[in-house]
Amino acid sequence: MILLFGGTTEGRKAVEVLEEAGTPYYYSTKTGEQAVALHYGQRVDGAMDADMMQHFCSQHGIRLLVDAAHPFAAGLHQTVIMVAGRLSIPVVRYERIYPPRSADILWIDDYSQIPRDIHTLLATTGVQSIRKLRPLEAYGMTIYYRILKRQSSIRLAHEQGVPDSRICYYEDADSMNLHADAVLLKESGLSGGFAEKVDAARARGMRIIAIKRPESMAHDAVVDGPYGLRRAVERLLPAFFPLHSGLTTGTCATAAAVAAMLQLRGKRPSEVPVLLPDGETLQVAVGYGGGHAYCMKEAGDDPDVTQGLEIRATVCQTSAPADHIVSAPVEGERVIIAGGEGVGRFTLPGFDYPPGEPAINKVPREMIRRNLDMLIGDADSRQADGSKQWICTISVPHGAEVARRTFNPRLGIEGGISILGVSGIVKPFSEEAFVGSIRKCMQVAKASGSQRVVLNSGAKSEGFLRQAYPDLPPQAFVQYGNYIGETLRMADSLHFPRVTLGVMLGKAVKLAEGQLDTHSRKSVMNRDFVAGLLDEAHCATDLSSVTLARELWEKIPAERLDDFCRAVIGHCLKHCRSLVPRSSLTILLIADDGTIHSL
């Protein structure tokens, strides 16, 4: 059992991670005022001292503590560490991501170091800091307190003698427009809006004072994002998640590249930090060979033929051309990404890069470059005349053999595997667990009272659909992943009067053919079927070079696009209407740019 301390943005993100397991846990906040949806978690509200926390952990069989509380909640952090030590329970600290400390900000350790020469101060440090700031008014300082617009905070401010004329609220857009000489901030990290507050203060010419965050304590694991949290829980409490996550080939290639660069500097750590696309940092195990570094592909419980493959990287700075580099380096880039043995090559258009390029997709290339850029100092980059480049070569021994068991040959990728990944981590779901999660969300949607449920494949399509239905509550939007058929059947069983199914083109052409589970392991785009759709729309489009459905948006003439969309939606409706016979069904086809097509 896990006890999670939250009440923050990180607490909310941690809830989302733990909910994926479908396993019971406890979520503790000080005030109970945070609105957060719990399906498997149980709320525990109210502050705990060490004895209360120890009793709770013993009584409820707690085996892991996750501290996602505010970075300035020093007392709670100390209590968590103390209780964990008494009970020999591991602790995961969910930290925030902090931008570098800027030189134009006055950094202080506590409130006593605030300069006394300030005439008007805007304090954004929260209602708990009022008692520490009010003595400064004796020096003639006028202080405005920016607090949360909730009754408990307003009451506490009034109890400390702050009049309404000196209170402003975070929720008010113009609360930074006060004519203050200076602003006082806490180093609250990116999720605490620190960067936005600093930018607003700079734009208004305000002096910026920031209280440094408390020093972090020793924990069994420190993470700064949801993927790191999941992997830490999997390691420290393996039974909590029925299925364990893995790493994408892109993350493995990036880890190998970072290790290869560190090896050039005389360092050979067993783990290296990898910055993921979402900004969080993951520690990844690596190894070293003769002139290269490597990372073993870890698929977790996701069935993947690349499991256990050794993904290698070499890094060198040279002015000699490399025969495995096809395209010229992009202007301004310090690192060229090359493909070696076992990495496939694109032979058809339609991918992120042209035919002949190594099959290393856009996001992994950006990950490799971004991580290596952080290690390459200005003196190590290129010579003044630009004659030298850093070249990172990714190779996968046995990659060509393994690629024959993938869809790569059908997609026109030859000679090896692809280096893939969008998030950097692979989260496996058994069909039973994932469908169960969808069912929970559908039940919450029904309980919200909404007469319409809006089904979508993921965050991107949901964002577009929320704009189309701005008046619906958030609970009315439910992600189906690939399980379109199962989700529609749930909508029917719950008697939703109106059902909207939003689908992007890649899944839509599969659904139009009758494939109600659109997972890429079970189906690929049927070019012959798509050709039939084009004929139906009287659209003469050459499909010989098309490998991905999304390319059709660019291929189809504008004057025939509506006809093609109607043909796709019509076939989708033919297969879906019978699954929700008692509902009014609307199917929306969503383009990559967010344009929504309907009948």
Side-chain angles (χ1 to χ4, degrees):
M1 187 70 79
I2 292 176
L3 174 57
L4 163 62
F5 296 95
T8 56
T9 300
E10 289 68 37
R12 191 187 303 277
K13 292 178 180 178
V15 162
E16 293 174 0
V17 172
L18 299 188
E19 286 286 327
E20 292 172 357
T23 304
Y25 64 96
Y26 292 96
Y27 182 59
S28 173
T29 63
K30 182 178 180 180
T31 64
E33 294 178 290
Q34 185 187 36
V36 58
L38 301 176
H39 302 316
Y40 300 100
Q42 181 175 330
R43 294 198 72 128
V44 181
D45 297 327
M48 296 187 191
D49 62 21
D51 290 338
M52 292 170 62
M53 190 182 298
Q54 181 174 342
H55 176 73
F56 184 92
C57 291
S58 299
Q59 186 179 34
H60 294 88
I62 302 300
R63 295 291 175 265
L64 177 66
L65 298 173
V66 177
D67 182 358
H70 195 282
F72 281 80
L76 174 59
H77 302 321
Q78 292 171 354
T79 301
V80 169
I81 293 296
M82 181 188 304
V83 171
R86 290 178 185 175
L87 300 178
S88 299
I89 299 174
V91 180
V92 178
R93 170 65 182 147
Y94 194 141
E95 266 288 6
R96 296 185 174 184
I97 298 173
Y98 298 95
R101 289 176 177 170
S102 301
D104 66 333
I105 296 175
L106 174 62
W107 296 94
I108 61 176
D109 294 307
D110 56 57
Y111 294 90
S112 66
Q113 296 173 340
I114 297 173
R116 303 297 194 266
D117 60 346
I118 297 170
H119 181 259
T120 306
L121 176 69
L122 173 60
T124 70
T125 47
V127 71
Q128 298 293 339
S129 67
I130 291 176
R131 62 180 178 81
K132 301 175 183 178
L133 292 169
R134 294 222 63 193
L136 294 174
E137 296 175 5
Y139 294 90
M141 193 181 298
T142 299
I143 304 177
Y144 292 92
Y145 300 94
R146 192 182 188 207
I147 65 175
L148 291 172
K149 199 171 190 176
R150 60 189 184 194
Q151 289 304 311
S152 60
S153 297
I154 297 170
R155 183 179 65 255
L156 187 55
H158 288 164
E159 288 173 355
Q160 296 179 85
V162 181
D164 288 333
S165 60
R166 296 287 179 85
I167 296 175
C168 56
Y169 302 104
Y170 279 95
E171 292 81 357
D172 295 342
D174 62 348
S175 60
M176 286 290 289
N177 289 330
L178 291 168
H179 297 293
D181 306 321
V183 61
L184 176 66
L185 312 173
K186 284 181 177 177
E187 189 182 13
S188 55
L190 296 181
S191 66
F194 183 81
E196 290 82 356
K197 294 172 190 174
V198 168
D199 289 343
R202 284 174 178 153
R204 291 162 177 77
M206 299 167 72
R207 186 176 178 184
I208 306 171
I209 306 162
I211 301 176
K212 299 175 188 174
R213 66 185 186 272
E215 291 295 324
S216 184
M217 303 177 189
H219 299 85
D220 296 275
V222 178
V223 302
D224 61 4
Y227 299 137
L229 175 61
R230 172 160 181 156
R231 290 179 64 79
V233 172
E234 289 170 351
R235 176 171 62 86
L236 296 170
L237 194 64
F240 186 79
F241 283 96
L243 297 175
H244 287 191
S245 64
L247 302 176
T248 64
T249 48
T251 295
C252 294
T254 303
V258 169
M261 178 64 80
L262 292 175
Q263 185 173 220
L264 286 181
R265 309 289 173 83
K267 303 174 183 177
R268 300 182 67 163
S270 59
E271 289 187 338
V272 296
V274 172
L275 184 66
L276 298 182
D278 70 347
E280 70 173 288
T281 300
L282 209 63
Q283 294 293 326
V284 180
V286 292
Y288 304 88
H292 68 269
Y294 64 87
C295 176
M296 305 302 293
K297 175 63 167 72
E298 177 193 341
D301 288 318
D302 188 57
D304 192 329
V305 296
T306 63
Q307 165 66 22
L309 280 180
E310 181 181 305
I311 301 186
R312 295 181 178 179
T314 61
V315 176
C316 66
Q317 190 178 26
T318 180
S319 56
D323 58 8
H324 49 280
I325 298 174
V326 177
S327 60
V330 176
E331 182 66 28
E333 288 182 350
R334 300 195 289 183
V335 178
I336 299 173
I337 311 297
E341 173 196 0
V343 174
R345 290 191 182 280
F346 301 123
T347 65
L348 295 174
F351 294 95
D352 293 330
Y353 300 96
E357 280 273 358
I360 304 174
N361 282 10
K362 183 178 181 180
V363 172
R365 292 195 195 204
E366 291 174 347
M367 284 179 63
I368 293 170
R369 286 198 178 95
R370 187 178 181 188
N371 279 269
L372 291 184
D373 275 341
M374 293 190 297
L375 295 174
I376 298 171
D378 291 337
D380 291 331
S381 57
R382 64 179 73 177
Q383 293 181 348
D385 61 1
S387 60
K388 284 191 176 182
Q389 290 272 356
W390 283 98
I391 300 175
C392 176
T393 303
I394 305 299
S395 58
V396 184
H398 309 294
E401 175 187 343
V402 169
R404 298 189 191 103
R405 306 200 300 273
T406 71
F407 281 131
N408 275 11
R410 295 193 201 180
L411 297 174
I413 299 173
E414 299 179 357
I417 68 166
S418 306
I419 304 300
L420 304 169
V422 175
S423 66
I425 189 172
V426 178
K427 293 194 294 184
F429 293 97
S430 69
E431 181 170 348
E432 180 182 358
F434 192 80
V435 170
S437 177
I438 297 172
R439 184 172 291 107
K440 283 281 186 181
C441 293
M442 292 290 285
Q443 291 166 348
V444 171
K446 184 66 175 179
S448 74
S450 176
Q451 296 299 295
R452 182 184 297 275
V453 63
V454 183
L455 310 178
N456 57 90
S457 59
K460 182 178 180 180
S461 60
E462 181 170 317
F464 296 141
L465 290 167
R466 282 179 183 264
Q467 295 176 34
Y469 295 98
D471 296 330
L472 291 183
Q475 296 84 357
F477 297 85
V478 175
Q479 296 181 10
Y480 56 74
N482 289 295
Y483 300 105
I484 298 175
E486 288 286 347
T487 308
L488 287 172
R489 293 185 185 98
M490 292 176 202
D492 180 64
S493 68
L494 291 169
H495 307 294
F496 278 99
R498 294 185 289 278
V499 177
T500 294
L501 175 67
V503 61
M504 301 189 81
L505 192 55
K507 295 184 187 298
V509 296
K510 296 178 182 180
L511 178 60
E513 194 180 5
Q515 300 176 40
L516 298 174
D517 180 347
T518 58
H519 199 292
S520 59
R521 288 196 185 90
K522 298 185 178 181
S523 61
V524 293
M525 181 184 70
N526 183 339
R527 191 181 278 106
D528 292 337
F529 178 76
V530 173
L533 292 173
L534 292 167
D535 287 342
E536 189 176 329
H538 307 290
C539 181
T541 298
D542 181 14
L543 293 178
S544 60
S545 63
V546 173
T547 54
L548 302 173
R550 69 185 187 197
E551 299 170 57
L552 293 169
W553 292 120
E554 303 296 330
K555 293 275 188 180
I556 297 173
E559 65 272 14
R560 298 257 63 93
L561 190 57
D562 285 342
D563 292 333
F564 174 73
C565 291
R566 281 194 290 268
V568 173
I569 295 172
H571 281 271
C572 290
L573 279 169
K574 180 177 67 176
H575 296 293
C576 294
R577 269 205 179 103
S578 63
L579 302 179
V580 282
R582 294 172 287 187
S583 304
S584 171
L585 176 62
T586 301
I587 294 185
L588 302 177
L589 182 58
I590 308 170
D592 289 345
D593 64 358
T595 302
I596 294 178
H597 300 267
S598 60
L599 285 181

